[in-house]
Amino acid sequence: MQNTEYYDKIDTVEVFILRAPLGKAKFWSSQSSFPERNSLLVKITSGDTHGWGEAGQYGPPEPVAAAIEHVLAKRIIGKSVQPTVVSEELYAFSRDFGQRGTYVEAISGIDVALWDLLGKKLGVPVCKLLGGAFRTRVKVYATGCYYRHDCQDP
């Protein structure tokens, strides 16, 4: 049995869908067009401190937001701010119906928000909580293979 008396409790879980219409700058992948960029932010509050996570990057953010708001959030309100414990419990709960896609994205957003929250509560960067930084620089990464309506094959 874990001793959780030293951990603060989760008070609220909120989601925010951000949208940026692209207008004429919309682009396509091999599967569909993208008329907007979107993101789903997860905000978890404990006392007067909050942590932020991001989820719902693959497809519409609404299914991930619904999984968090209507299914997962109520399972973690009042739980201790322990990211690994919460993530394991959520994954175990959703294992039969959510091994990939929407539920894994939702759990991931909650997990990132909890690590951010715990780091703020303890006054240390998340990298310290995870064992310490091992890089002083990060290589640039960009994803792509998208094209616009006005592009021409070479």
Side-chain angles (χ1 to χ4, degrees), residues 91-148:
Y91 187 73
F93 159 74
S94 63
R95 186 174 291 121
D96 286 345
F97 56 86
Q99 290 186 8
R100 59 181 174 239
T102 299
Y103 278 88
V104 170
E105 286 187 59
I107 293 168
S108 176
I110 290 169
D111 185 61
V112 172
L114 285 172
W115 282 109
D116 185 43
L117 176 59
L118 183 60
K120 289 175 179 175
K121 288 274 190 188
L122 297 176
V124 297
V126 172
C127 68
K128 271 213 187 297
L129 298 173
L130 298 174
F134 64 94
R135 290 188 180 102
T136 57
R137 297 170 46 130
V138 177
K139 291 183 179 187
V140 174
Y141 169 79
T143 187
C145 298
Y146 300 118
Y147 56 94
R148 293 171 42 138

